[in-house]
Amino acid sequence: MTQTSEFGRVVVLYGGNSAEREVSLRSGAAVLAALERRGVDVIGYDPAGDGLVGLEALAPDRVFIALHGRGGEDGTLQGALELLGIPYTGSGVLASALGMDKQRTKLVWQALGLPTPESLMLTEDADWDGIVARLGLPLIVKPVHEGSTLGISIVESREALRSAYREAARFDARIMAERFIHGEEYTVSLLGERVLPAIRVEVPSGFYDYQAKYNSNDTRYHLPCGLDAEQEAALGELCRQAFEAVGGEGWGRVDVMRDGEGRFWLIEVNTAPGMTDHSLVPQAAAHTGIDFDELVLRILGTTLEPRQA
């Protein structure tokens, strides 16, 4: 069993400058409190102020990344920590950068024959009629490099497509439209080599948006998810393959839709998932007997292991 003294000084990175700052602050506070309860020599640090200079001044032996979005989850921070020689939680540079790019993640999945909804890139002068003809209605419009469903719209009509594009463009320069999958939403968490139980997410509004994820008490999380053992095993294996396809390490989460015919469709991968009181990874872990403090310690424990080449 790992002794907390083996970790040395740990810095929890949270906050940052991305659009997901508020969620990151909540995740980081929860992680920091858990490590304090376990007796780890830990301090929290928000890089929005002094950046890497301030982090170096804290002389960390390792870092727990609780930053979400760009600047924390997209490979830039991971690359900096690699250069500084500081071990960190989660995926490395390649997987972090790839996982943050929804379009290129889909291209990798498609190349490997993994099921993911068809998508098209959008521009201000896009052929809106052609997009609707290709993807059908409703469809999803989303920023390529954003998380927590920020900037995402469900488009019900041709007329609403341009305004959905402009809403997404508030968050990113690259926007995509994706075929809408009618059905149930599932999420599968991965912890080391272990695939955790799937969760089925049910939202009264029908859209698992930012409000439903982090603020609503009406969102329902079905655990067990309702699939039979064979179906859940197939879903878990699909998500494991999807995570490994982008080079994911340590821990993460894959979001999936299941259509009316029972087929699973990969939507996106999260390489630094939320750790708030509404978050999904802690719920899945708890279902297997891993409480929040133990989950945080296990994630931190992966920093003691050598990284994949």
Side-chain angles (χ1 to χ4, degrees):
M1 178 178 293
T2 301
Q3 301 295 317
T4 57
S5 59
E6 291 184 59
F7 296 126
R9 163 161 281 199
V10 176
V11 172
V12 176
L13 285 178
Y14 62 135
N17 293 310
S18 82
E20 298 181 72
R21 173 177 170 81
E22 293 306 315
V23 178
S24 175
L25 288 170
R26 289 162 60 180
S27 287
V31 168
L32 181 62
L35 292 176
E36 288 174 340
R37 287 191 293 268
R38 285 301 187 103
V40 175
D41 178 11
V42 62
I43 186 171
Y45 177 67
D46 183 351
D50 295 328
L52 290 174
V53 174
L55 175 63
E56 283 189 278
L58 296 174
D61 292 299
R62 62 202 68 251
V63 163
F64 193 114
I65 298 176
L67 290 165
H68 307 315
R70 281 173 282 190
E73 195 175 351
D74 61 357
T76 55
L77 172 64
Q78 289 75 10
L81 293 174
E82 293 276 356
L83 290 173
L84 293 173
I86 303 173
Y88 55 90
T89 56
S91 294
V93 177
L94 174 62
S96 299
L98 187 54
M100 198 69 200
D101 189 312
K102 297 181 181 68
Q103 186 221 9
R104 288 184 171 85
T105 292
K106 290 169 76 70
L107 291 175
V108 170
W109 287 341
Q110 288 167 348
L112 294 173
L114 300 177
T116 187
E118 183 181 7
S119 64
L120 296 169
M121 295 301 295
L122 301 180
T123 60
E124 182 66 44
D125 58 352
D127 177 3
W128 307 110
D129 291 322
I131 290 163
V132 170
R134 179 75 174 268
L135 300 180
L137 289 172
L139 56 79
I140 302 284
V141 171
K142 59 178 74 172
V144 168
H145 300 108
E146 202 56 81
S148 293
T149 63
L150 292 167
I152 291 184
S153 301
I154 298 177
V155 175
E156 303 278 357
S157 68
R158 155 69 174 80
E159 293 70 29
L161 186 51
R162 187 186 294 272
S163 61
Y165 166 81
R166 288 175 175 166
E167 170 62 18
R170 293 175 51 227
F171 296 89
D172 196 3
R174 298 182 66 232
I175 313 300
M176 62 188 285
E178 182 180 71
R179 185 182 299 278
F180 184 81
I181 303 298
H182 296 268
E184 300 169 329
E185 182 164 356
Y186 294 83
T187 188
V188 174
S189 302
L190 301 106
L191 180 60
E193 300 298 317
R194 187 174 182 181
V195 178
L196 298 179
I199 298 174
R200 179 167 64 87
V201 181
E202 182 182 359
V203 184
S205 68
F207 185 28
Y208 192 41
D209 58 8
Y210 187 95
Q211 174 67 20
K213 283 184 175 182
Y214 301 112
N215 299 320
S216 175
N217 291 318
D218 296 329
T219 304
R220 298 182 64 187
Y221 303 99
H222 297 274
L223 186 59
C225 67
L227 298 172
D228 64 35
E230 183 177 353
Q231 291 171 327
E232 185 165 0
L235 173 58
E237 175 60 18
L238 173 64
C239 292
R240 184 192 63 77
Q241 292 178 17
F243 191 63
E244 291 183 353
V246 300
E249 294 180 68
W251 72 302
R253 202 186 78 232
V254 180
D255 297 333
V256 181
M257 293 297 296
R258 182 174 185 247
D259 67 21
E261 298 179 3
R263 295 173 299 188
F264 294 116
W265 297 90
L266 296 165
I267 303 300
E268 64 179 271
V269 63
N270 299 270
T271 55
M275 292 289 279
T276 73
D277 54 358
H278 281 64
S279 295
L280 297 161
V281 177
Q283 292 185 50
H287 191 69
T288 67
I290 303 172
D291 66 23
F292 187 85
D293 290 9
E294 178 62 22
L295 171 64
V296 171
L297 209 60
R298 290 193 188 191
I299 293 171
L300 183 61
T302 63
T303 63
L304 298 171
E305 304 165 4
R307 286 202 166 270
Q308 298 175 10

